[in-house]
Amino acid sequence: MRVITGICRGRRLLEPAGRDVRPTTDQVKEAMFNIIQFDVEGRKVLDLFAGTGQLGIEALSRGAADCLFVDSARDSVRLVQENLRRCGLTARVLQCDALGILKSGEKFDLIFLDPPYGSGLEAKAIEAVKEFDILTRGGIMVIETRPETALPVLPAEYGTAKTYRYGKIKLTVITRGND
């Protein structure tokens, strides 16, 4: 697992031991950032269910203004902190309930949702993003799931979700309108 491009290009990130955390593969991460490549610089990012922190770290490496990393697991929080240190980056890292943090009302321009597969947390997180209005106008939400996972339908202001399939992984990109 490595940082693909930007100021931390080529840096190796630590991976978790065991199977509790499922890091996004480099191939899927590269495809994801190809999709949103012009929408990262200067953005305020939320890496929810952060795991290793690689998605937020990639965004920071590519010029994101700020990133909040959230995970409920102590080992994941430590891993994110160590990966940030290895890359010479600073950011906020919180160990707390991922859905609970959404109630804070803090707004983000780019949200990565990559919860544990089969947990049902992606639907709950999307509903909370809508309910607490935390995705800015013109903002983007990227959700990684299994291909068969159905996501909730959002109001028209969120635009049409675009889906991309990479083997056993589905990326859904939702862009909120500027209106």
Side-chain angles (χ1 to χ4, degrees):
M1 198 170 56
R2 63 182 173 78
V3 179
I4 299 167
T5 196
I7 61 171
C8 303
R9 180 183 181 163
R11 297 267 172 90
R12 293 252 174 234
L13 301 176
L14 295 177
E15 296 186 41
R19 296 184 173 227
D20 291 340
V21 176
R22 171 203 34 81
T24 301
T25 65
D26 282 349
Q27 178 187 13
V28 172
K29 183 172 65 172
E30 188 166 4
M32 177 188 303
F33 278 91
N34 283 341
I35 295 165
I36 62 169
Q37 66 183 323
F38 301 113
D39 298 302
V40 176
E41 191 171 344
R43 298 284 187 126
K44 184 175 179 183
V45 178
L46 172 62
D47 189 348
L48 200 61
F49 312 103
T52 63
Q54 71 166 321
L55 299 178
I57 289 170
E58 186 72 39
L60 288 169
S61 180
R62 291 171 182 246
D66 184 37
C67 185
L68 172 60
F69 297 86
V70 177
D71 204 290
S72 62
R74 182 178 318 207
D75 289 342
S76 290
V77 167
R78 286 186 189 133
L79 193 55
V80 171
Q81 291 168 332
E82 178 58 24
N83 281 333
L84 284 165
R85 189 193 66 68
R86 293 178 120 219
C87 292
L89 300 171
T90 57
R92 294 178 295 155
V93 183
L94 297 178
Q95 179 187 348
C96 63
D97 172 56
L99 298 178
I101 196 69
L102 300 177
K103 296 176 184 175
S104 73
E106 185 174 353
K107 300 235 185 243
F108 297 93
D109 305 307
L110 178 57
I111 300 173
F112 295 111
L113 298 177
D114 186 11
Y117 286 177
S119 66
L121 290 171
E122 60 281 322
K124 291 176 183 175
I126 291 167
E127 289 294 339
V129 165
K130 177 184 75 171
E131 180 181 351
F132 300 109
D133 192 31
I134 68 163
L135 184 63
T136 59
R137 302 243 179 239
I140 298 170
M141 189 166 25
V142 181
I143 305 109
E144 182 179 331
T145 61
R146 289 183 179 143
E148 64 275 8
T149 303
L151 299 176
V153 176
L154 290 169
E157 70 181 283
Y158 285 90
T160 305
K162 294 181 182 174
T163 59
Y164 306 85
R165 184 147 177 206
Y166 302 95
K168 295 180 180 182
I169 297 171
K170 176 176 76 173
L171 293 179
T172 304
V173 179
I174 299 170
T175 305
R176 186 167 184 189
N178 285 317
D179 300 331

